[in-house]
Amino acid sequence: MSEKKSESSYEDKQDHIPSWKTPEIEWFANVYAGKEYNIEFTIPEFTAVCPKTGLPDFGTIYIDYIPRMRCVELKSLKEYMMSFRNIGIFHENVVNKILEDFVLAVDPLYVKVVGDYNVRGGVKTVVKREYKA
């Protein structure tokens, strides 16, 4: 029995996400550069939109990082996270986008981003990605 390959109905619908212009994540100088320590952020009210249904997706975003020369400024991080609120985006793309924007903004020694989404339709989704310099 041969398998027929078909395209996903979402083909090309998320291709713009890597180049999507989000608000800038601002930073301040790490006056303890050279000392290895962790900073953890929890964003418990993260919201984006399901690209299939148009309904809101709720979850918690966790960011754990070891700064190098720059530390993240919190107000700009909040504004950055709020920019996802009305965007149709898959959970996987949220985590990848956040990690890549975070690395570009502050060039950390290490960062881990976890998207822990609320149960929807009986399915719980957790997406994780790490970066090490």
Side-chain angles (χ1 to χ4, degrees):
M1 186 158 139
S2 67
E3 289 184 29
K4 182 181 177 186
K5 291 185 180 183
S6 64
E7 275 192 12
S8 162
S9 61
Y10 295 100
E11 201 65 35
D12 301 326
K13 290 191 169 76
Q14 296 278 289
D15 290 354
H16 68 287
I17 296 299
S19 61
W20 169 43
K21 182 70 176 138
T22 52
E24 181 181 359
I25 298 172
E26 297 177 17
W27 55 271
F28 58 90
N30 178 10
V31 298
Y32 286 97
K35 308 287 186 197
E36 194 168 298
Y37 63 98
N38 286 61
I39 300 171
E40 298 177 1
F41 299 127
T42 301
I43 298 96
E45 298 174 343
F46 181 83
T47 305
V49 175
C50 173
K52 180 173 178 97
T53 65
L55 296 172
D57 278 327
F58 299 98
T60 301
I61 302 293
Y62 299 95
I63 301 172
D64 178 10
Y65 80 108
I66 300 173
R68 190 190 311 256
M69 302 303 290
R70 304 175 192 160
C71 294
V72 170
E73 190 280 319
L74 286 179
K75 183 179 179 198
S76 71
L77 182 63
K78 292 173 196 174
E79 290 171 352
Y80 173 85
M81 290 298 172
M82 286 176 39
S83 72
F84 286 84
R85 186 174 185 176
N86 296 315
I87 300 299
I89 185 169
F90 290 117
H91 299 155
E92 297 81 357
N93 293 341
V94 167
V95 169
N96 280 287
K97 177 70 173 160
I98 292 170
L99 184 130
E100 291 180 1
D101 288 349
F102 198 94
V103 168
L104 282 173
V106 297
D107 187 29
L109 291 171
Y110 166 84
V111 63
K112 180 178 184 179
V113 177
V114 177
D116 185 353
Y117 289 89
N118 295 0
V119 174
R120 183 167 230 250
V123 177
K124 169 96 174 124
T125 304
V126 177
V127 181
K128 303 174 186 178
R129 183 172 169 198
E130 291 181 72
Y131 164 86
K132 295 175 186 166

